[in-house]
């Protein structure tokens, strides 16, 4: 039911988030890329239910905000189609990575869109690219001569 879905979503994007560990290699790759690129985060977490506060707490706890300043982090509502694209357009994002194909398809303003698919279950075709691990990212960026600017 919609009520149960809302309760589950509030738990996942709430208390469960704070206990979640970073994915293998994620923090190291973020710090590596941030040394030479302006990285941004656009996350579907609603300020209406405190998801942005919990999101910032998680980012701070794991040192992500040492590499990506708070002003380059945006939280958008999860139920508004195109919300991530609006922010990406505003910031002039040219490369974007997400774990959901449907979100990548909404990002019409972004030239290079990368599916992060650690379980290798999604098939993609141009203009989408796919990686399975964080360590795959630099090779893709170099091979495609993509830039974060």
């Amino acid at each position: 039911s919609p009520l149960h879905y809302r309760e589950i979503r509030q738990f996942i994007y709430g208390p469960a988030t704070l206990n979640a560990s970073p994915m293998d290699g994620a923090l190291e790759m973020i710090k590596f890329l941030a040394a030479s690129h302006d990285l941004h985060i656009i996350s579907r977490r609603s300020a209406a239910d405190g998801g942005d506060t919990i999101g910032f707490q998680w980012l701070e706890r794991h040192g992500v905000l040492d590499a990506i300043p708070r002003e380059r982090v945006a939280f958008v509502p999860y139920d508004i189609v195109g919300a991530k694209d609006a922010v990406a357009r505003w910031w002039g994002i040219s490369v974007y990575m997400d774990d959901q194909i449907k979100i990548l398809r909404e990002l019409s303003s972004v030239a290079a869109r990368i599916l992060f698919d650690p379980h290798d279950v999604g098939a993609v075709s141009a203009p989408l690219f796919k990686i399975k691990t964080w360590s795959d990212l630099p090779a893709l960026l170099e091979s495609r001569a993509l830039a974060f600017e």
Side-chain angles (χ1 to χ4, degrees), residues 49-112:
D49 61 12
D52 59 334
T53 301
I54 290 172
F56 273 124
Q57 288 173 356
W58 189 94
L59 294 169
E60 180 70 37
R61 177 180 293 173
H62 295 287
V64 176
L65 296 178
D66 295 336
I68 303 173
R70 286 177 77 94
E71 60 269 13
R72 291 201 311 250
V73 176
F75 294 100
V76 300
Y78 28 75
D79 55 352
I80 297 180
V81 173
K84 284 187 170 187
D85 190 49
V87 176
R89 180 178 286 113
W90 174 260
W91 278 337
I93 303 295
S94 59
V95 178
Y96 191 96
M97 186 171 71
D98 205 290
D99 62 353
Q100 293 187 31
I101 291 175
K102 72 176 189 171
I103 297 299
L104 294 172
R105 290 188 175 132
E106 293 174 10
L107 293 165
S108 60
S109 69
V110 178

Side-chain angles (χ1 to χ4, degrees), residues 4-68:
H4 289 119
Y5 173 76
R6 184 171 178 234
E7 290 172 353
I8 291 168
R9 187 182 68 213
Q10 285 177 331
F11 174 75
I12 290 170
Y13 288 101
T17 292
L18 290 177
N19 294 322
S21 298
M23 296 185 80
D24 287 341
L27 297 177
E28 296 81 6
M29 187 56 59
I30 288 168
K31 291 174 183 177
F32 171 77
L33 292 171
S36 56
H37 302 291
D38 290 337
L39 303 182
H40 296 75
I41 295 172
I42 306 172
S43 177
R44 292 190 311 161
R45 295 184 174 275
S46 178
D49 61 12
D52 59 334
T53 301
I54 290 172
F56 273 124
Q57 288 173 356
W58 189 94
L59 294 169
E60 180 70 37
R61 177 180 293 173
H62 295 287
V64 176
L65 296 178
D66 295 336
I68 303 173

